Amino acid sequence: MNKLAWEGEELVELYSASSIQERVAALGATLTATYGTDPVVCIGVLKGAAIFCSDLIRCMQIPKLEVDFVRLSSYGTNSSSSGNVKIAASSLATTSKKHVLIVEDIVDTGKSMQTFMQQFVAKDALSVRLAVLIDKRERRSCEVKIDYSCFVCDSGFCVGYGLDYAERYRHLPAIYELKFLNN
Ligand code: IMP
Ligand code: MG
C-alpha cells in the first residue's frame, strides 16, 4: 500500500516521475521543432494541467512563447464529468497570427474539451492544437482531436502530477491509479 494515500484509498503507480519527465521533454522537443521561430500562445487548463503546462513550457526552446491559463467550470468532486463546461472569464492573450496550443491534463469522455474547443475563439490564429498529458479512451463519447499526448490509457481514475480526486493528490510527482478499499 502506498503511504501517500488517504484512509480508505490506495494508490497504484501508473507512470513514474522520471517517465513523466521523459515524455514531457520529448513532447517539448517535438513542439520546439514544430513551431520554430513562429509565435505561440500556450493556454493551460486549470487546475489539472497547471503542473504539466509549467513543465512543458520549460522544455519548449522557442523564442516567441506566451503563456496563459483558463479555468473551466463543470467538474465537481466526482469522478465523472458533467459536460456542462463554461470558460471562466479571463484576459486571454491575443491569438492573432500566433499558433495556439491548448494544454489539458486528461481527456476522458471528451465532453469538456469538445465544448471548450467549440466555445474557444482564437481570432486569426495560425493554428489551434491540443496537447494532453493522458488520453484516456474507454469512456470517450465525443470526438476530440488530440494532437499530442504523453500517455494513452484505457480506464481507471488517475491522480498525481496535477490530477486530483476531490482536490487531493495534485502534488504527487508520479501518476497513480486511485483505488477505493472495501468496496
Ligand atoms: P471529460 O469531459 O470526461 O473528458 O473529462 C475531462 C476532465 O475531467 C479532465 O479535465 C479532468 O479534470 C477530469 N478527469 C477525467 N478523468 C480524470 C481522472 O482520471 N483523474 C482526474 N481527473 C479526471
Ligand atoms: Mg482538466
Side-chain angles (χ1 to χ4, degrees), residues 94-111:
T94 54
T95 53
S96 177
K97 298 193 178 64
K98 297 171 190 167
H99 292 285
V100 175
L101 182 70
I102 309 295
V103 181
E104 169 67 315
D105 54 355
I106 185 164
V107 175
D108 181 19
T109 64
K111 284 181 207 157

Side-chain angles (χ1 to χ4, degrees), residues 45-49 72 75 104-106 112-113 163 170:
V45 182
L46 295 172
K47 300 178 201 171
L72 305 185
Y75 216 72
E104 169 67 315
D105 54 355
I106 185 164
S112 309
M113 270 305 104
L163 294 149
R170 288 193 200 276

Side-chain angles (χ1 to χ4, degrees), residues 1 17 30 32 54 63 65 70 106 113 115 117 120 123 141-142:
M1 226 228 285
T30 301
T32 300
S54 308
L65 179 64
V70 284
I106 185 164
M113 270 305 104
T115 319
M117 291 301 213
F120 177 70
K123 227 172 159 274
S141 60
C142 300

Side-chain angles (χ1 to χ4, degrees), residues 71-91:
R71 176 112 194 235
L72 305 185
S73 56
S74 98
Y75 216 72
T77 54
N78 301 327
S79 55
S80 70
S81 164
S82 72
N84 253 331
V85 177
K86 288 208 179 69
I87 305 174
S90 114
S91 55

Side-chain angles (χ1 to χ4, degrees), residues 17-148:
S18 60
S19 73
I20 297 169
Q21 292 311 319
E22 248 171 58
R23 294 291 176 97
V24 173
L27 177 54
T30 301
L31 295 169
T32 300
T34 302
Y35 293 127
T37 54
D38 288 354
V40 179
V41 186
C42 246
I43 301 178
V45 182
L46 295 172
K47 300 178 201 171
I51 293 175
F52 172 42
C53 188
S54 308
D55 282 348
L56 183 62
I57 54 177
R58 285 176 290 171
C59 296
M60 291 172 68
Q61 314 259 314
I62 61 174
K64 296 180 188 162
L65 179 64
E66 291 170 63
V67 182
D68 209 337
F69 288 93
V70 284
R71 176 112 194 235
L72 305 185
S73 56
S74 98
Y75 216 72
T77 54
N78 301 327
S79 55
S80 70
S81 164
S82 72
N84 253 331
V85 177
K86 288 208 179 69
I87 305 174
S90 114
S91 55
L92 269 185
T94 54
T95 53
S96 177
K97 298 193 178 64
K98 297 171 190 167
H99 292 285
V100 175
L101 182 70
I102 309 295
V103 181
E104 169 67 315
D105 54 355
I106 185 164
V107 175
D108 181 19
T109 64
K111 284 181 207 157
S112 309
M113 270 305 104
Q114 193 191 54
T115 319
F116 172 77
M117 291 301 213
Q118 281 163 0
Q119 288 179 37
F120 177 70
V121 182
K123 227 172 159 274
D124 306 320
L126 293 176
S127 69
V128 179
R129 297 193 179 102
L130 174 62
V132 305
L133 178 63
I134 303 174
D135 177 359
K136 188 166 76 173
R137 295 190 168 162
E138 197 179 51
R139 300 200 295 181
R140 190 70 41 84
S141 60
C142 300
E143 211 175 297
V144 177
K145 186 173 175 289
I146 297 173
D147 297 285
Y148 308 99

